Amino acid sequence: MKHLISIHDITCEEFNQILALAQKLKRETKEGKTHHILKGKTLGMIFTKSSTRTRISFEVGMYQLGGHPMFLSANDMQLGRGESIYDTANVMSRFVDGIMIRTYAHQDVLDLAKYGSVPVINGLTDLLHPCQALADLLTVYEHKGKLRGLKLAYVGDGNNVAHSLLYACAKAGMDMSVATPKGYECNEEVVANAKDDAKETGAEIIITNDPVEAVTGADVVCTDTWVSMGREAEKAERVKVFKDYQVNSELFGKSKEDSIFIHCLPAYRGYEVTEDVIDGPRSVVFDEAENRLHAQKAVMALLMI
């Protein structure tokens, strides 16, 4: 594994290795053990999209691994003034030991990996959010004791979170059902790739426009904001379109009695999810948020050691 750009790009063995190492690092850190395995190394972190969890979890994770995180916003870099990705990748590769980027265009991540000579981690693009999906399935494993054979239901916008969950569930052998309104479905190429990955593990991928069909019998229910960053102008229209895709107690009640609820945050209560669900006893959203730290530490350790 040279980079983490898409979970589709890694093998099932590499996927399981990330989760296993994340569990180990989390357990030993809570026991007081330090893991300064990246001592003397620097992670350059490029942000063209604002962030809470991504920035904090990568910075803290890099410190805990003994390395140095370097935050770079678009305003701090010549990249924000028109310098090419080619030049940026080549220059940064002379200075840092790894690059994490959170940005809009997925092609920017691909180009950084293509032209640079250090590992590149996709912190989020408009197409994919692999670190979030790793944290999500780490959380599911902690609460369910397994992944293979479970069913995860995603309800809402067919966005980057849904795409990376499709890849992650396929690699893990988890069934996944996705319910979106018509016109807001997942990327067709992503769905096709996930179905190909699922053939190896026996996972089933179901794409539907019916949220009840998706959630019925699910072990895990997931949603995300209806208005992703950069689509604020569409808010009024999206609220109308997605109103029947809210994860409320009625819809959540279609899942298994011991199901859990996950959400990558930030959440907008009263829109994609109601308070009684996200703040209820079966919500594990803050465990999930914490696991961004541990999953990403595993990724950095495997790529940069």
Side-chain angles (χ1 to χ4, degrees), residues 96-113:
V96 302
D97 303 285
I99 299 171
M100 188 285 298
I101 180 169
R102 178 182 169 94
T103 189
Y104 291 90
H106 190 70
Q107 190 62 45
D108 288 350
V109 183
L110 297 174
D111 288 345
L112 274 176

Side-chain angles (χ1 to χ4, degrees), residues 53-257:
R53 279 151 294 277
T54 298
R55 178 176 177 178
I56 295 171
S57 56
F58 269 106
E59 284 199 6
V60 172
M62 195 62 183
Y63 278 125
Q64 289 184 359
L65 292 173
H68 176 68
M70 181 184 297
F71 173 80
L72 301 163
S73 73
N75 294 330
D76 298 323
M77 302 181 66
Q78 295 300 331
L79 181 63
R81 299 177 177 85
E83 185 170 26
S84 69
I85 290 287
Y86 175 82
D87 287 356
T88 300
N90 275 282
V91 170
M92 286 191 69
S93 294
R94 304 295 180 100
F95 297 145
V96 302
D97 303 285
I99 299 171
M100 188 285 298
I101 180 169
R102 178 182 169 94
T103 189
Y104 291 90
H106 190 70
Q107 190 62 45
D108 288 350
V109 183
L110 297 174
D111 288 345
L112 274 176
K114 177 180 179 181
Y115 299 124
S117 58
V118 297
V120 172
I121 301 170
N122 179 359
L124 174 143
T125 67
D126 284 347
L127 182 67
L128 297 173
H129 199 354
C131 291
Q132 182 64 55
L134 289 168
D136 292 349
L137 265 60
L138 175 60
T139 307
V140 173
Y141 184 84
E142 287 178 342
H143 284 269
K144 294 295 182 181
K146 65 176 184 177
L147 296 176
R148 187 176 292 270
L150 297 179
K151 177 184 177 181
L152 185 149
Y154 177 92
V155 178
D157 190 17
N159 60 13
N160 49 9
V161 170
H163 292 160
S164 284
L165 279 172
L166 280 166
Y167 285 152
C169 287
K171 295 288 184 182
M174 285 181 68
D175 297 340
M176 182 171 174
S177 55
V178 180
T180 62
K182 290 182 179 179
Y184 295 85
E185 290 89 354
C186 291
N187 177 285
E188 291 182 358
E189 183 179 354
V190 170
V191 172
N193 288 340
K195 288 183 175 180
D196 282 342
D197 290 344
K199 292 175 183 177
E200 182 179 348
T201 61
E204 182 179 11
I205 304 294
I206 299 169
I207 306 297
T208 180
N209 299 119
D210 183 352
V212 173
E213 177 188 355
V215 170
T216 298
D219 300 280
V220 184
V221 178
C222 179
T223 189
D224 191 16
T225 177
W226 293 341
V227 187
S228 294
M229 201 176 300
R231 298 188 179 275
E232 289 81 3
E234 303 173 21
K235 181 176 179 178
E237 178 63 23
R238 283 176 168 262
V239 169
K240 294 177 183 176
V241 171
F242 284 90
K243 63 181 176 61
D244 293 329
Y245 291 79
Q246 182 186 73
V247 179
N248 49 39
S249 57
E250 181 180 357
L251 182 61
F252 192 45
K254 304 294 183 184
S255 63
K256 290 183 179 177
E257 289 186 0

